[in-house]
Amino acid sequence: MGNFKNKTIYQIYVRSFKDSNGDGIGDIRGIIEKLNYLRRLGVDYLWLTPIFTSPQNDNGYDVADYLNVDPLFGNMADLEELIQKAGEKGIGIMLDMVFNHTSTKHEWFKRAMAGEEEFLNYYIFKGGSPDTPPTNWKSKFGGPAWAYVENLNKYYLHLFDETQADLNWGNPAVRENLKNVIRFWKQKGIKGFRFDVINLISKPEVFEMDFEGDGRRFYTDGPLVHEYIKELVRDTGIIDMVTVGEMSSTSLENCIKYSNPAEEELSMCFNFHHLKIDYKDQDKWQVIPPDIEKLKGLFEAWQIGMQKTDGWNALFWCNHDQPRIVSRLGDDKAYRVVSAKMLATSIHLMRGTPYIYQGEELGMTNAYFTDISQYQDIESHNYYKIMLSQGKSSSEALKIIGLRSRDNSRTPMQWSDEEYAGFSKNKPWISLLDNYKSINAENGLNDDNSIFAYYQKLIRLRKEKAVISEGGIEFILPNTKNLLAYRRYLGPEEIIALNNFSNKEIIIGQDFKGYKAILGNYESPLNGGQTLRAFEAVVLEKQ
Ligand code: TEU
Ligand code: CA
């Protein structure tokens, strides 16, 4: 297994990072322009969201050709230059492999639609009549998971959009083709891979109706998923690279297996349980206040569960599918800077590999769009319609979309206070936030107390202190409400992180004698951490 324990990974949502040619869409040359910024931050890998040829119905998660760069983002030479120049700065490039499904514009799907038997078997086609789909499963983007094709008199499965057809991993030819994709990019100098919804690739033998849910229990962490991953990793020789699987609605038990080095599957897993603490009944579209005590319980269960079994977590709050964390669990008004730093502290010192999503290091906020036309995301539009059809008023629906939309994190990166936030010379593909005049990278770079400077310190600490990258973890003071506290240990070394998730003072009542504060988000920690102010975070080291 590669050494990733003291590394930090930065996620780039390419279309919103930096536009180099003025078409309003971020691109590969834009990333090249910003390599010095990324180096200053101190990150080790850049995970680029899909840059492959795509009709862009789901912003590149609908791939039409895995071996080419979409002209929207540049060309192969640009990507090669990025790999080269990033490499010179000690930064590796990771690509995002969308292997559960292809775009319906992919050659394979087109040939299936033409009725070619060989290619029908690349996807999951089932017989049925126009009004009886094979099962009642739901797409994760709303509506049925099956689309009917009249001339074939068959349905195909799409767990996501209708234009994203699920591949049939049971077909060895599919698996071989996907291995060739990995081999191709590996030989270009790619240093790691993120695998999109990789725990959904193994579908059950028999397709059953789901009378309890949307069908996910039949295909999540499916019957052959571990075998398929092992085979892919072994046959492409990527065991020493950094690999992360995005695991949708997964279980701890499965993530232990996916990430345990002895299993030779992946380096680590993303799971989303900690980001559902403000969902009612696990339903993203039913908003409730975040349950911090539940959050603490989940962190503890996953951290301790992974530690006991030699599994490894990806540590993250934000990505291109999630609202901005400072708007969600912090306070993006009165305590924006302090709460952004606390949220960073709370996960960066845990056992696992931290991920930073572009703009998180600036404390970028949710979009606060006021009109449905400002949203670009397919999921937001689908659910807006679904909510209206369920009888919600448009203002109720907009309020929910405002809190939940994936576009919250997809607004253009705020580089400076120049026009269009220094992101582009022209109007960006999605609305900019008004707050870019004050929240921007230039300000972050010029202020020793900025959120950016704080992330630099966290990244450096992980490299300097083996207790953070390699040490054990134990949760402490679990009964103190709104406090997330843990102790890291390695031989004589010890670190304690105290994080106040509320805007009220917390009295801890323990004096931590013999410890010294080495980092905090307030000027000076009170009483060595006995009292924590609103959203205060303190990191103590044993002397
Ligand atoms: O996301 C998978 C996924 O589970 C999310 O889309 C999730 O269902 C959604 O955000 C819930 O609201 C991955 C990618 O990260 C996402 O951008 C893609 O749209 C999706 O897969 C399909 O490829
Ligand atoms: Ca561009």
Side-chain angles (χ1 to χ4, degrees):
M1 282 278 170
N3 176 22
F4 44 79
K5 297 193 171 176
N6 64 1
K7 305 285 194 281
T8 301
I9 300 176
Y10 188 90
Q11 183 192 350
I12 293 187
Y13 195 65
V14 182
R15 65 164 51 230
S16 300
F17 189 65
K18 177 74 176 89
D19 174 23
S20 72
N21 63 352
D23 65 356
I25 297 171
D27 47 50
I28 296 169
R29 302 212 68 82
I31 305 172
I32 297 174
E33 284 175 27
K34 295 298 180 185
L35 282 173
N36 281 334
Y37 169 84
L38 296 162
R39 190 185 188 175
R40 267 181 83 173
L41 182 56
V43 295
D44 302 282
Y45 292 96
L46 306 179
W47 147 28
L48 314 189
T49 52
I51 39 86
F52 315 105
T53 312
S54 161
Q56 304 288 330
N57 285 332
D58 188 21
N59 293 355
Y61 284 91
D62 45 334
V63 179
D65 179 358
Y66 292 103
L67 304 179
N68 273 301
V69 174
D70 195 300
L72 208 55
F73 302 124
N75 57 35
M76 193 63 84
D78 296 329
L79 186 58
E80 285 165 351
E81 188 178 326
L82 172 63
I83 295 169
Q84 164 82 26
K85 292 201 165 142
E88 286 163 10
K89 296 183 195 296
I91 298 176
I93 302 294
M94 294 169 70
L95 292 184
D96 200 330
M97 309 319 293
V98 190
F99 281 178
N100 174 68
H101 44 266
T102 73
S103 162
T104 50
K105 293 278 188 289
H106 195 288
E107 182 66 22
W108 302 335
F109 194 80
K110 288 194 206 155
R111 297 182 69 173
M113 289 299 260
E116 284 186 51
E117 205 55 48
E118 184 187 346
F119 291 96
L120 282 167
N121 199 27
Y122 269 49
Y123 296 90
I124 299 171
F125 279 93
K126 298 274 173 216
S129 65
D131 36 41
T132 52
T135 68
N136 58 352
W137 298 2
K138 294 269 171 290
S139 151
K140 292 190 189 265
F141 288 167
W146 297 96
Y148 183 64
V149 184
E150 209 181 315
N151 66 311
L152 298 171
N153 194 27
K154 287 184 201 308
Y155 282 85
Y156 67 87
L157 180 69
H158 62 90
L159 297 181
F160 294 89
D161 187 53
E162 205 172 312
T163 62
Q164 294 165 300
D166 281 58
L167 283 164
N168 174 16
W169 276 69
N171 178 353
V174 168
R175 304 204 297 276
E176 199 49 39
N177 272 301
L178 297 177
K179 287 175 205 165
N180 283 335
V181 173
I182 297 288
R183 293 175 183 126
F184 176 85
W185 290 113
K186 198 180 151 192
Q187 153 267 318
K188 292 269 181 208
I190 290 299
K191 292 287 187 281
F193 297 98
R194 179 243 189 204
F195 291 98
D196 191 60
V197 288
I198 196 70
N199 68 324
L200 309 185
I201 57 177
S202 172
K203 311 303 193 273
E205 196 84 27
V206 185
F207 286 77
E208 294 172 59
M209 298 288 272
D210 192 348
F211 299 108
E212 287 167 29
D214 61 5
R216 71 180 66 190
R217 66 201 173 100
F218 296 119
Y219 58 75
T220 300
D221 303 313
L224 296 177
V225 65
H226 293 285
E227 274 151 72
Y228 291 155
I229 294 177
K230 283 183 172 74
E231 180 187 311
L232 181 78
V233 168
R234 185 192 61 226
D235 292 358
T236 57
I238 56 170
I239 192 68
D240 289 325
M241 294 183 134
V242 181
T243 53
V244 54
E246 187 205 24
M247 306 302 177
S248 173
S249 301
T250 189
S251 67
L252 173 59
E253 195 191 1
N254 275 290
C255 285
I256 289 168
K257 234 178 145 187
Y258 294 128
S259 66
N260 183 315
E263 297 286 338
E264 307 206 322
E265 294 186 21
L266 303 170
S267 315
M268 64 190 105
C269 302
F270 289 118
N271 83 80
F272 297 91
H273 298 288
H274 66 298
L275 295 173
K276 295 183 179 174
I277 53 148
D278 50 6
Y279 293 10
K280 188 175 172 232
D281 302 330
Q282 303 276 319
D283 177 357
K284 170 170 171 172
W285 307 100
Q286 294 195 57
V287 181
I288 54 169
D291 182 343
I292 300 300
E293 300 316 301
K294 189 168 168 192
L295 176 76
K296 287 161 59 177
L298 282 164
F299 275 141
E300 177 160 6
W302 281 76
Q303 286 281 309
I304 302 300
M306 287 296 219
Q307 160 163 286
K308 277 201 256 178
T309 53
D310 209 13
W312 198 252
N313 276 307
L315 307 170
F316 74 106
W317 285 124
C318 301
N319 67 28
H320 63 292
D321 295 332
Q322 297 290 330
R324 291 286 182 179
I325 202 65
V326 70
S327 302
R328 188 174 180 184
L329 295 187
D331 175 340
D332 66 9
K333 310 265 163 2
Y335 296 103
R336 190 183 63 87
V337 173
V338 165
S339 64
K341 290 177 182 174
M342 182 281 290
L343 289 162
T345 315
S346 68
I347 58 168
H348 273 249
L349 301 176
M350 283 187 190
R351 185 177 171 279
T353 298
Y355 284 70
I356 300 169
Y357 176 71
Q358 66 184 47
E360 182 184 334
E361 76 280 19
L362 308 176
M364 276 180 64
T365 68
N366 272 354
Y368 297 108
F369 290 159
T370 49
D371 196 283
I372 189 66
S373 67
Q374 287 175 290
Y375 290 96
Q376 306 295 327
D377 181 25
I378 191 168
E379 185 197 56
S380 302
H381 283 279
N382 287 352
Y383 274 97
Y384 181 71
K385 281 180 218 131
I386 290 171
M387 284 192 263
L388 293 188
S389 76
Q390 289 168 342
K392 289 208 165 56
S393 70
S394 69
S395 74
E396 278 173 305
L398 269 178
K399 197 172 159 216
I400 297 172
I401 301 275
L403 292 167
R404 297 298 202 224
S405 176
R406 307 195 296 180
D407 282 343
N408 280 313
S409 55
R410 298 178 179 184
T411 62
M413 178 77 174
Q414 295 168 194
W415 292 106
S416 69
D417 64 2
E418 285 164 59
E419 198 181 15
Y420 304 125
F423 163 74
S424 176
K425 293 261 171 289
N426 286 301
K427 196 169 178 241
W429 68 279
I430 188 171
S431 306
L432 267 167
L433 301 192
D434 300 332
N435 60 27
Y436 77 86
K437 294 269 176 202
S438 58
I439 304 175
N440 61 56
E442 208 169 271
N443 287 346
L445 287 166
N446 294 329
D447 171 4
D448 292 343
N449 283 317
S450 67
I451 301 170
F452 180 90
Y454 196 88
Y455 271 86
Q456 284 180 312
K457 287 181 197 152
L458 286 171
I459 296 166
R460 211 177 312 131
L461 266 185
R462 172 167 288 267
K463 293 209 189 300
E464 285 167 4
K465 300 198 182 290
V467 64
I468 298 172
S469 55
E470 308 277 346
I473 187 164
E474 168 190 60
F475 285 76
I476 58 173
L477 303 166
N479 299 325
T480 307
K481 246 188 120 209
N482 293 320
L483 173 74
L484 176 75
Y486 52 85
R487 189 176 77 92
R488 304 294 313 274
Y489 53 90
L490 185 70
E493 287 174 54
E494 221 185 276
I495 275 187
I496 286 176
L498 304 170
N499 300 283
N500 179 359
F501 275 72
S502 77
N503 60 5
K504 309 221 163 42
E505 196 170 277
I506 296 181
I507 297 162
I508 295 181
Q510 194 167 324
D511 66 1
F512 297 106
K513 259 211 187 82
Y515 289 81
K516 193 181 125 205
I518 56 167
L519 187 66
N521 58 354
Y522 276 79
E523 200 119 326
S524 63
L526 295 180
N527 320 323
Q530 280 185 61
T531 313
L532 291 179
R533 286 156 286 184
F535 296 109
E536 183 161 6
V538 184
V539 183
L540 304 166
E541 186 176 46
K542 195 171 186 177
Q543 295 304 293

